[in-house]
Amino acid sequence: MSQVTSYIPPAARANSVKLSTIRELYELPFNDLLFKAQQVHREHFNPNEVQMSTLMSIKTGACPEDCGYCSQSGHHNTELEKEPLAVVEEVIEQAKAAKAAGSTRFCMGAAWRSPPSKSMPELTRMVKEVKDLGLETCMTLGMLNAEQASQLKTAGLDYYNHNLDTSPGHYKNIITTRCYQDRLDTIQHVRDAGMKVCCGGILGLGESREDRIHLLYQLSSLNPAPESVPINRLVAIEGTPLEDVEPLDGIEFVRTIAVARIIMPNSFLRLSAGRESMDDGLQALCYFAGANSIFSGERLLTVDNNGQVADERLLSELGIKASTQNTTNVV
């Protein structure tokens, strides 16, 4: 019997999962893989709870990066209107609304290559005031240096999001203005500053299964693995180089979530962009495979999201409740 037909051994959970093990997991019969993922999920989390986050775009458009999937890149003609950095008071109002709607984490995203020094005082004030509301705080601002990471940590930032996006081998087909090591360096600065890492990827970028295997290997090999792992399904946006890419098969998407759950048993796996294209059945399979965090609200930066009413209806049907747990203290 293959080793992966039972639980992944403790050594594999300590950042030593082999590429061959991940490949073997992908090849399991779908039912066996989901059964294993649900077992691992139940060992580490309440299977009927989902962590709710809200994402706000605090600075939109005109990004100098050329990410092939992104509507905010200045290299693409997506007719997105550029918006300056939001004022702190507007951010706080949206954070209050998010908390009232049941979110426990408030995420703030800015379309920058890296945050300009002149904006750091406003950014740290946003963090402090959102934190004072009793919410977990998360930001995604592009690349950070060590000093910026330290400033955000001092302000009270709990999580910093910086996705790897895809495998090292496929990365050059998606982004040319920033290398893979740049992303790893930012993640290390975040770790060194003492913040938690939110790091995942996007599925459906025209990558192969082998690329998905290597992405999961990279994520699980971070030491430690990210506490929060966003798993996005590409939203093909008109005007971007990937607008005509073939949509990723739903079963393959669920399979990837299940493998991620097994090899990163302590991480929150968040269904992020792309949920609006999933029917109830596909979303339910994602939850069964180990996804236990979602973004709530009508918008995710510049794309549509399911909305609170639709989420509440489906979660109620599935018997899943919004978690009230503060994940900043979860080991």
Side-chain angles (χ1 to χ4, degrees):
M1 180 182 293
S2 167
Q3 184 183 57
V4 300
T5 57
S6 60
Y7 287 136
I8 295 294
R13 298 185 186 186
N15 295 94
S16 59
V17 180
K18 297 179 180 179
L19 274 169
S20 59
T21 300
I22 300 176
R23 289 193 188 99
E24 198 173 349
L25 285 168
Y26 261 97
E27 294 301 325
L28 284 175
F30 191 62
N31 284 347
D32 292 347
L33 177 61
L34 263 61
F35 179 67
K36 175 185 294 297
Q38 181 64 199
Q39 287 177 302
V40 172
H41 187 53
R42 286 172 179 267
E43 278 192 348
H44 295 86
F45 294 98
N46 184 327
N48 295 310
E49 284 190 352
V50 168
Q51 187 271 330
M52 309 291 281
S53 298
T54 295
L55 176 61
M56 175 185 177
S57 179
I58 60 173
K59 184 269 175 186
T60 304
C63 181
E65 305 282 20
D66 67 353
C67 306
Y69 52 80
C70 187
S71 63
Q72 302 200 66
S73 171
H75 296 257
H76 313 322
N77 182 21
T78 61
E79 299 183 357
L80 182 71
E81 186 174 344
K82 176 182 175 182
E83 298 177 8
L85 182 63
V87 297
V88 176
E89 290 73 18
E90 178 187 355
V91 174
I92 301 310
E93 285 305 307
Q94 290 208 27
K96 289 178 179 178
K99 182 177 181 179
S103 288
T104 59
R105 186 182 307 169
F106 190 71
C107 308
M108 295 158 273
W112 281 318
R113 176 176 170 83
S114 57
S117 298
K118 66 180 182 180
S119 297
M120 289 303 296
E122 292 170 277
L123 295 171
T124 54
R125 184 183 161 201
M126 289 176 191
V127 172
K128 290 175 182 176
E129 297 199 18
V130 171
K131 186 81 170 174
D132 285 346
L133 297 175
L135 289 163
E136 296 171 2
T137 53
C138 180
M139 279 185 161
T140 178
L141 313 169
M143 294 184 292
L144 293 181
N145 59 37
E147 181 181 357
Q148 290 170 326
S150 179
Q151 289 175 329
L152 292 171
K153 169 61 177 177
T154 299
L157 191 64
D158 298 305
Y159 289 81
Y160 192 80
N161 167 256
H162 201 63
N163 290 334
L164 295 182
D165 285 352
T166 188
S167 70
H170 190 56
Y171 185 84
K172 63 182 180 297
N173 300 320
I174 307 301
I175 304 159
T176 67
T177 51
R178 183 193 314 184
C179 70
Y180 212 78
Q181 188 59 48
D182 289 332
R183 293 183 180 267
L184 296 174
D185 289 345
T186 288
I187 292 167
Q188 191 58 54
H189 291 322
V190 171
R191 279 283 182 227
D192 291 344
M195 289 182 284
K196 292 183 181 290
V197 169
C198 178
C199 181
I202 305 171
L203 306 184
L205 297 173
E207 79 280 358
S208 64
R209 174 179 284 187
E210 189 67 14
D211 288 312
R212 291 186 282 278
I213 289 169
H214 278 266
L215 170 62
L216 293 186
Y217 176 72
Q218 289 289 324
L219 292 169
S220 65
S221 297
L222 295 173
N223 191 13
E227 288 84 358
S228 181
V229 180
I231 300 180
N232 299 272
R233 192 182 189 197
L234 176 68
V235 178
I237 297 172
E238 186 176 355
T240 66
L242 297 178
E243 64 177 320
D244 296 321
V245 71
E246 185 74 19
L248 181 68
D249 175 72
I251 298 300
E252 183 72 5
F253 184 79
V254 175
R255 189 180 291 275
T256 301
I257 290 173
V259 175
R261 170 49 68 216
I262 294 167
I263 67 173
M264 294 180 282
N266 295 303
S267 301
F268 281 82
L269 300 184
R270 180 187 295 127
L271 286 182
S272 299
R275 274 201 308 123
E276 82 290 342
S277 67
M278 301 179 195
D279 62 22
D280 289 354
L282 184 55
Q283 287 190 73
L285 279 175
C286 291
Y287 294 129
F288 187 77
N292 63 338
S293 178
I294 60 173
F295 278 122
S296 179
E298 303 293 333
R299 296 284 287 174
L300 293 180
L301 296 180
T302 65
V303 299
D304 291 336
N305 194 33
N306 286 36
Q308 185 176 352
V309 173
D311 284 336
E312 288 180 349
R313 177 193 55 76
L314 177 58
L315 294 177
S316 177
E317 288 182 7
L318 298 176
I320 296 176
K321 297 181 179 179
S323 173
T324 59
Q325 183 181 25
N326 188 317
T327 66
T328 58
N329 297 320
V330 174
V331 178

